[in-house]
Amino acid sequence: MPFLLTPGPLTTSRGVKIAMLADYGSRDIEFREIVKRIRASLLDLAHCGPNYECVIMQGSGTFAIEAALGSFCPAKRYKTLVVCNGAYGERAAKILNRLGRPVVTLDKGDSEAPTPEDIVAALNADRTISHLWIIHCETTSGIINPIEAICKAVQGRALTIMVDAMSSFGAIPIDMTAWNIDVMVSSSNKCIEGVPGFSYVLAKRSLLEESEGRCHSTVLDLYEQWTVLEKTGQFRFTPPTHALVAFQQALQEYAHAGGLPARSARYKHNAEVLVKGMREMGIETLLSDDEAGPIIQTFLTPRDPNFHFDTFYEALRQRGYAIYPGKLTKRPSFRIGTIGQIDEAVIRGALTAIREVFAEMKVTDMHPLES
């Protein structure tokens, strides 16, 4: 199987894979203890105080996103401001529209970060905005949004701050207590390096208590999921047992390797090696170095008529490297992830494979293809 150079699912360690060889019953004492430890570990990693809770939800990251939006966002009178600078902000706005929840968007295109001034201006322009939804790392381009600065800029306002940290949590610092973040969502198959199967919502306990009966869905109701987890240690519906056990192993390996500082340093080095190698070939990046984070790198498609992405993708995969299959940005581009259980050796191997594929395809003009 190839190395997964994607922003999740991603390449996992042998230990994480081996952990999934055991079968657990959803009511087993050992399994319930694993779930309890995971919830506590996630709260600790996000620097949550005693007034926060962790609610685990079955399903992909978007399940947690819809659960949080449906459980916490107002249904009338007030509005949620969704910051859009890529496909995932747009998805959050789409969910709110589908739910019939009042929403306004701040559109920054797909390669520009919002400034604190942008957020303050939007809030001043519409006093009915009570909730803010913003993405930490927008993997459409890989850009990092200035969450800390935005949180400080809106301090003192009656505003519920909700952060999608799907692709950043565990590799980029986030302090929910110090930054006064009310809600954060992420999933198992990202920077902690677990496998797909569940997502989670970290939220202030008061918000959970106030959300009783508000959610549009039985399955995605965070209040109901939380109360059952608290009372019984069990899930309301069949949990992804193997994914949870694998995640517990991933958390242990994460701590043993040096936690967030070590994880962040490895990912940053991966990104630096990749970007340097691609630029040496003549490929340009969508973002500047101070805009791009260490999670995923977006490269502008060469204008050479011999370049065909599907051929490029499959030839790389045959050589053992699976990149993200397709573009999301408006400018023609492709993306390569730099997270997961990979290091400089893997990145250099991928660069060698890319050079070989370009030569095989007879791609020589690396200037960007314009839209």
Side-chain angles (χ1 to χ4, degrees):
M1 296 300 294
F3 288 103
L4 300 181
L5 304 183
T6 62
L10 38 66
T11 296
T12 58
S13 72
R14 183 176 295 274
V16 167
K17 294 177 178 70
I18 290 173
M20 292 186 287
L21 295 177
D23 297 318
Y24 286 83
S26 62
R27 298 175 183 272
D28 291 353
I29 293 175
E30 297 90 345
F31 178 72
R32 282 183 282 161
E33 282 299 312
I34 288 172
V35 172
K36 182 179 179 180
R37 287 196 297 270
I38 288 173
R39 294 175 67 201
S41 296
L42 292 172
L43 289 168
D44 184 61
L45 183 56
H47 300 282
C48 292
N51 58 328
Y52 287 87
E53 297 287 353
C54 173
V55 186
I56 300 176
M57 297 295 296
Q58 299 93 325
S60 69
T62 306
F63 282 59
I65 290 170
E66 184 166 330
L69 293 170
S71 294
F72 301 131
C73 290
K76 56 185 178 180
R77 293 181 58 201
Y78 296 100
K79 301 170 186 170
T80 300
L81 172 63
V82 175
V83 180
C84 298
N85 60 338
Y88 297 95
E90 293 170 0
R91 181 182 296 177
K94 181 179 180 181
I95 290 171
L96 286 169
N97 278 317
R98 178 66 65 90
L99 299 182
R101 305 292 179 91
V103 57
V104 291
T105 59
L106 174 61
D107 188 354
K108 300 296 292 184
D110 61 13
S111 56
E112 182 181 350
T115 65
E117 292 75 19
D118 289 331
I119 305 299
V120 170
L123 296 175
N124 288 340
D126 189 342
R127 297 291 183 174
T128 65
I129 293 173
S130 61
H131 289 60
L132 170 67
W133 180 273
I134 186 167
I135 295 170
H136 197 186
C137 174
E138 173 53 88
T139 54
T140 297
S141 66
I143 197 167
I144 304 297
N145 291 323
I147 302 297
E148 182 179 6
I150 288 170
C151 288
K152 289 181 179 178
V154 300
Q155 201 168 35
R157 290 175 179 261
L159 182 70
T160 299
I161 301 173
M162 307 171 73
V163 174
D164 174 347
M166 204 63 61
S167 297
S168 62
F169 185 58
I172 302 175
I174 188 167
D175 190 324
M176 292 188 68
T177 298
W179 303 355
N180 197 32
I181 295 172
D182 297 281
V183 179
M184 190 209 77
V185 298
S186 192
S187 70
S188 58
N189 57 297
K190 300 289 186 177
C191 297
I192 305 298
E193 297 182 1
V195 300
F198 70 91
S199 48
Y200 44 90
V201 179
L202 309 185
K204 288 183 177 176
R205 187 180 304 108
S206 58
L207 283 178
L208 282 166
E209 292 169 342
E210 292 164 7
S211 72
E212 182 178 6
R214 185 182 301 173
C215 189
H216 62 290
S217 165
T218 299
V219 174
L220 300 178
D221 191 322
L222 288 176
Y223 174 82
E224 293 295 335
Q225 186 85 338
W226 169 59
T227 53
V228 172
L229 280 169
E230 286 291 291
K231 290 177 182 177
T232 69
Q234 300 173 26
F235 286 67
R236 293 179 297 156
F237 312 108
T238 304
T241 52
H242 293 80
L244 284 155
V245 172
F247 193 76
Q248 170 68 8
Q249 175 66 25
L251 281 169
Q252 292 172 353
E253 294 179 7
Y254 178 87
H256 182 73
L260 189 146
R263 187 64 44 98
S264 178
R266 177 160 59 85
Y267 289 173
K268 285 179 180 177
H269 187 62
N270 288 346
E272 289 166 358
V273 171
L274 176 66
V275 169
K276 183 175 183 291
M278 295 295 282
R279 285 175 176 163
E280 288 173 350
M281 292 182 227
I283 297 292
E284 296 183 21
T285 56
L286 175 70
L287 303 174
S288 65
D289 291 345
D290 60 347
E291 293 173 318
I295 308 302
I296 189 166
Q297 312 309 312
T298 301
F299 300 98
L300 298 177
T301 300
R303 71 184 182 188
D304 194 302
N306 291 322
F307 182 85
H308 301 284
F309 178 78
D310 289 345
T311 303
F312 177 68
Y313 173 86
E314 189 55 37
L316 281 180
R317 193 180 184 282
Q318 291 300 320
R319 286 168 169 79
Y321 303 94
I323 66 173
Y324 203 93
K327 78 162 185 89
L328 289 175
T329 58
K330 294 176 176 63
R331 294 186 70 184
S333 63
F334 61 91
R335 300 181 293 165
I336 301 179
T338 46
I339 65 176
Q341 191 65 201
I342 58 173
D343 56 15
E344 180 178 345
V346 174
I347 298 297
R348 294 200 180 279
L351 288 168
T352 297
I354 289 169
R355 292 188 191 96
E356 291 174 356
V357 173
F358 280 151
E360 186 178 275
M361 296 173 69
K362 296 180 171 57
V363 174
T364 57
D365 186 353
M366 303 300 181
H367 291 89
L369 173 67
E370 297 302 324
S371 300

